[in-house]
Amino acid sequence: MQKTRELWVDYTKVFACILVVIGHLLQGLNKANIEWNENLYNYINNFIYVFHMPLFMCLSGYLYEKYTKIGSWKEYFKFIKKKLINLGVPYFIFYIAFVLINMLFASSVNSPRGIDDILNILTNPMPPFWFLYALFFIFLIIPLLEKLLKNSTYVILILAIILHIGNIFVETGIYAIDIVCEYLVYFYLGAIISKKLQAKEFSTNYTIILGILFVALTLGYCYLKINSILNESILDVLKFILAIYGTFISIAIFRKLTVYLKNNYIINKIAKNTFPIYLMHTIFSAGMGIVLLKIGITNFYIHVILGLVLGIIGPIIVAEILKITRYGNIMLYPIKTVNEIKKEKVDRQIG
């Protein structure tokens, strides 16, 4: 189907992507023992990890439902082939590149990687690349569920909730199964938003109140988790509820903010490059951290500011370079790039 960009989706992805960069950056600084407020770190880290990846997955489900129509087995296999190429090519390229760079600078990194990580690329992927891995398997399964359950929206949603709750208490130990059980529900909530809720919108005041309530409840969850007040499984159930809440309120907020953000050059530039930022931010943020430590700079705020800026700007620069090198963009957008090259050849022949 022809795609028309929905700006609120782009801006919500920007928000989720920045949270990913901040989360990984703070974790890296914590492992490097960069002096800071440990208690504040725990609150921020736990707060981010309540909802930022469920939000990403929900947006993926929204776009899937909006632009994907599968009416036959032929269309299904064509869809899966496309996803295998579009997700698999950048997954393998940047995953292996990350491990090799990590091995090259093994003496300077906080979490050394090795050949075992490459060998586990099909069974136990490392962050942040696990998201592409999980997304592919969800793309593989969701059309089958829709066909089997005759597109019964709420039956599929209930099944996804059961799988998620069940996985909290009993994991299979098989990464692909466990990660699908964990994130399928958020993906399908995105599909439901596309089907049922697109026209509905909260008032500004109501959105603000719900946003403040989400922050308060999530901080309460963080307190319970940090102080180990409740059983881990019960905390995971609370996290699940808050993840759904955080996903919906984030979408509501950015639907409101779109009118103010649509003319912002920086936000729009990031919006067009959330995928390369997601893939490459750790390389640039970690690289900046290594350089700063090598020259004796240990100030936490300098590390955060420069790590965040480079974690966003670095991937954008790489993406821009790949875009102008004809075949380079295949690493990020393989099918789109190949189609553009074919079109250029046809246009030249016609001309």
Side-chain angles (χ1 to χ4, degrees), residues 52-274:
H52 74 316
M53 294 315 299
L55 178 57
F56 251 130
M57 196 62 78
C58 179
L59 294 173
S60 298
Y62 178 89
L63 295 173
Y64 162 82
E65 177 60 33
K66 187 172 180 64
Y67 298 115
T68 307
K69 300 301 174 187
I70 300 174
S72 66
W73 285 110
K74 182 179 179 180
E75 290 176 343
Y76 170 73
F77 288 115
K78 183 179 179 180
F79 169 76
I80 294 304
K81 178 183 176 182
K82 180 180 178 181
K83 292 303 177 184
L84 182 61
I85 295 171
N86 275 341
L87 296 175
V89 170
Y91 174 76
F92 280 96
I93 289 175
F94 289 98
Y95 188 110
I96 293 171
F98 177 81
V99 173
L100 294 178
I101 292 171
N102 190 286
M103 291 171 65
L104 185 62
F105 297 98
S107 61
S108 302
V109 298
N110 302 317
S111 303
R113 300 290 180 178
I115 298 299
D116 286 347
D117 293 289
I118 295 178
L119 295 177
N120 289 332
I121 195 169
L122 294 177
T123 57
N124 191 24
M126 61 188 180
F129 306 101
W130 66 265
F131 178 75
L132 303 185
Y133 183 93
L135 198 56
F136 172 74
F137 279 100
I138 289 174
F139 281 137
L140 191 69
I141 290 169
I142 202 71
L144 299 178
L145 282 177
E146 289 177 330
K147 185 174 180 62
L148 179 65
L149 299 174
K150 299 179 180 179
N151 276 317
S152 180
T153 301
Y154 295 109
V155 172
I156 297 173
L157 178 61
I158 291 170
L159 175 62
I161 292 172
I162 291 171
L163 289 174
H164 182 95
I165 299 295
N167 189 245
I168 288 174
F169 294 96
V170 182
E171 292 187 352
T172 67
I174 301 172
Y175 188 88
I177 295 175
D178 290 334
I179 203 70
V180 168
C181 288
E182 183 175 357
Y183 283 97
L184 179 66
V185 62
Y186 306 117
F187 183 94
Y188 201 68
L189 280 172
I192 290 175
I193 291 173
S194 182
K195 288 179 180 180
K196 307 287 186 181
L197 304 179
Q198 188 175 359
K200 296 183 180 180
E201 194 168 341
F202 297 135
S203 68
T204 300
N205 289 339
Y206 194 40
T207 301
I208 292 171
I209 292 170
L210 289 175
I212 293 171
L213 181 59
F214 169 71
V215 172
L217 290 173
T218 306
L219 288 175
Y221 159 82
C222 293
Y223 175 81
L224 295 174
K225 183 173 178 62
I226 291 167
N227 294 284
S228 303
I229 291 176
L230 293 178
N231 176 276
E232 194 67 31
S233 296
I234 301 301
L235 285 170
D236 284 341
V237 173
L238 292 177
K239 181 181 177 182
F240 169 54
I241 296 169
L242 287 170
I244 294 174
Y245 186 177
T247 294
F248 276 101
I249 197 61
S250 296
I251 289 171
I253 288 171
F254 281 94
R255 289 183 70 181
K256 293 290 185 184
L257 291 178
T258 294
V259 66
Y260 305 105
L261 298 174
K262 63 182 180 180
N263 295 318
N264 186 297
Y265 174 80
I266 294 175
I267 297 297
N268 282 292
K269 195 67 174 178
I270 296 173
K272 293 177 181 178
N273 289 280
T274 51

Side-chain angles (χ1 to χ4, degrees), residues 305-322:
I305 293 170
L306 293 182
L308 180 59
V309 170
L310 194 62
I312 292 172
I313 292 178
I316 292 177
I317 292 172
V318 172
E320 292 294 330
I321 293 172
L322 292 176

